């Protein structure tokens, strides 16, 4: 593979995954390096491996812990982390914060890896490997789509980015947000025409097809007003209509709510693009450590603990009053109707079957035995509550005389604070071969339905929007939907609630709030409005230190 020394230096500068064990050569060319189809696929897959990492971890944190659904509260002696988690929650992050740096460098690293592979594969004579020009076009345009994906996420987080189409330069300045938008649009429009369409019998195994490129282009247009100041909802609507109509391949909504998240979700007709996951290989597991309690391994009946960090923001005050009577945003658990099948506690039933997606209430083993705590509730039964407060400090001779005196802030968590989400199913030890067998559904048809619904709502067709939402909602109930969307109840807050319920924990909440102009203007649990410039993250200090041509975003000090 032709990877020049200068390319190596640029990749190191841009950074990305922190564990890159690659060897770089100065005199190797594509014509001599590639010996078989296997070598071609290895080059193609490398940037997809980076995408697997990129679509989780710090990128997820920036989307969810800065918004109204998730929090990492300080739990006694744990998780203050030098104030890091509070800075993100209160919108007080700085250019020195690490999640932001990891996202900046991870974004440009993804572009560099995909661009390098594209450069090499573009030079090859595919006929030497018994492959066709169509194969080559597919590979090159999958990489174009991947480049567009990284730029799209970067545009969403930071605004304009340095646009580079080779690895021969360095210290590039930032292009404008509009120029970055145009670059993404160009890449995706070309890819859509050359990528294959999904056939009805096809499973999703990580390849980017035409519908994935179309969906990313729809996302670009859907959020265009936030990116460039010019709304393009009509363009997004047309793409969504075409995707649903089968113009870009055959897709359909999964008939059951967990079909898109379960162990066999590569067979789901709803998945437009997924990141494959397999135990002890490229496993989809980054969230496990942060979401669950140290002793939740007993609940799941698995080996391996967790570090008890993140959870849903509370729906109730310490006295039990619902926050949704005060705040229109937040309260993620209580935004689910009680009849919703997803609101059941998570339970693994064996053979890949499971129900529910929350950990809430008394913490018990599968056999029904009590699971005890190890901090505030050491040797006492764990009961997960949809509240934040130091309940262990209430009582005679303690800090608080009554629960009514308890504050509820980021600083006031306990080991059992907050409902825990189990969006990705976890089997027991008996079915360990299934562990992390659920792929990451990066793009699914329900998103297209909801984008189309919102576009129609914004165009004044609330009834048509409600019909689309209800097509997705109906699979979540054993009987009739007790609270369907209607033309009368579908306003911007109900639309945000629908996005929140269907895509809870899927790493998009900040973007949705920004599109509705609520990310920096609204109040939710322990959060007050912030400055408008916080709709974008700053260019990291470390990036500017390495490239003085980079301009800082307005509102942040360079």
């Amino acid at each position: 593979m032709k990877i020049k020394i200068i390319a190596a230096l640029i990749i190191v500068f841009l950074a990305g995954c922190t564990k890159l064990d690659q060897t770089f050569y100065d005199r190797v060319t594509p014509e001599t390096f590639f010996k078989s189809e296997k070598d071609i696929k290895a080059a193609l897959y490398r940037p997809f491996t980076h995408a697997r990492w990129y679509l989780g971890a710090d990128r997820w944190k920036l989307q969810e812990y800065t918004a109204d659904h998730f929090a990492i509260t300080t739990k006694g002696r744990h998780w203050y982390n030098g104030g890091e988690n509070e800075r993100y929650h209160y919108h007080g992050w700085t250019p020195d914060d690490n999640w932001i740096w990891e996202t900046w460098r991870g974004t440009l690293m993804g572009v560099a890896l995909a661009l390098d592979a594209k450069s090499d594969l573009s030079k090859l004579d595919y006929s030497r490997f018994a492959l066709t020009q169509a194969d080559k076009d597919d590979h090159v345009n999958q990489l174009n789509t991947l480049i567009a994906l990284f730029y799209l996420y970067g545009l969403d987080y930071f605004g304009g980015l340095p646009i580079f189409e080779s690895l021969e330069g360095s210290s590039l300045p930032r292009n404008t947000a509009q120029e970055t938008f145009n670059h993404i649009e160009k890449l995706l429009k070309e890819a859509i025409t050359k990528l294959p369409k999904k056939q009805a019998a096809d499973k999703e195994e990580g390849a980017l097809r035409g519908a994935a490129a179309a969906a990313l282009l729809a996302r670009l247009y859907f959020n265009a007003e936030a990116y460039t100041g010019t709304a393009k909802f009509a363009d997004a609507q047309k793409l969504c209509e075409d995707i649903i109509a089968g113009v870009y391949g055959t897709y359909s909504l999964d008939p059951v709510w967990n079909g898109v998240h379960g162990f066999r979700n590569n067979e789901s007709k709803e998945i437009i693009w997924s990141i494959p996951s397999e135990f002890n290989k490229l496993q989809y597991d980054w969230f496990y450590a942060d979401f669950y309690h140290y002793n939740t391994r007993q609940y799941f009946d698995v080996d391996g603990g967790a570090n008890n960090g993140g959870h849903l923001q509370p729906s109730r005050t310490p006295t039990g009053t619902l926050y949704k009577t005060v705040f229109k945003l937040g309260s993620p658990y209580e935004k689910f109707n009680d009849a919703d099948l997803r609101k059941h506690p998570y339970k693994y039933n064996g053979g890949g079957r499971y129900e529910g997606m929350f950990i809430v209430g008394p913490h018990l083993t599968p056999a029904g035995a009590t699971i005890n705590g190890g901090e505030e509730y050491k040797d006492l039964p764990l009961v997960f509550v949809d509240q934040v407060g130091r309940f262990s400090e209430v009582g005679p001779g303690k800090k608080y005389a009554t629960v009514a005196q308890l504050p509820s802030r980021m600083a006031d968590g306990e080991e059992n604070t907050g409902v825990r989400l189990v969006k990705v199913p976890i089997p027991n030890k008996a079915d360990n071969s299934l562990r992390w067998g659920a792929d990451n559904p990066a793009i699914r048809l329900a998103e297209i339905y909801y984008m189309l619904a919102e576009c129609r709502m914004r165009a004044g067709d609330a009834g048509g929007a409600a019909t689309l939402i209800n097509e997705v909602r109906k699979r979540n109930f054993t009987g009739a939907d007790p609270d369907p969307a209607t033309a009368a109840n579908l306003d911007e807050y109900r639309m945000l609630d629908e996005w929140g319920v269907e895509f809870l924990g899927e790493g998009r909440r900040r973007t949705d709030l920004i599109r509705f102009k609520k990310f920096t203007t609204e109040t939710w649990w322990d959060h007050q409005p912030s400055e408008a410039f916080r709709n974008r993250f700053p260019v990291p200090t470390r990036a500017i230190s390495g490239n003085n041509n980079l301009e800082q975003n307005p509102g942040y000090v360079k």
Side-chain angles (χ1 to χ4, degrees), residues 327-348:
F327 307 124
K328 291 183 178 180
L329 298 178
S331 300
Y333 181 68
E334 284 300 330
K335 292 292 174 69
F336 285 81
N337 189 281
D338 288 343
D340 195 318
L341 295 170
R342 297 168 296 181
K343 200 175 184 181
H344 292 184
Y346 175 80
K347 180 182 179 183
Y348 183 68

Side-chain angles (χ1 to χ4, degrees), residues 75-135:
K75 301 172 183 64
R77 62 196 177 106
H78 297 292
W79 283 105
Y80 179 65
N81 285 19
E84 175 183 60
N85 300 312
E86 292 187 4
R87 286 197 299 278
Y88 287 110
H89 181 81
Y90 296 135
H91 290 191
W93 54 77
T94 75
D96 297 322
D97 275 308
N98 196 55
W99 299 354
I100 295 169
W101 162 242
E102 288 294 333
T103 297
W104 174 272
R105 71 173 186 164
T107 299
L108 296 182
M109 178 63 168
V111 172
L113 286 169
L115 193 58
D116 184 68
K118 174 185 171 183
S119 175
D120 286 334
L121 297 185
S122 296
K123 296 181 178 74
L124 290 180
D125 177 3
Y126 266 49
S127 65
R128 288 176 47 214
F129 309 96
L131 297 172
T132 66
Q133 183 63 40
D135 293 323

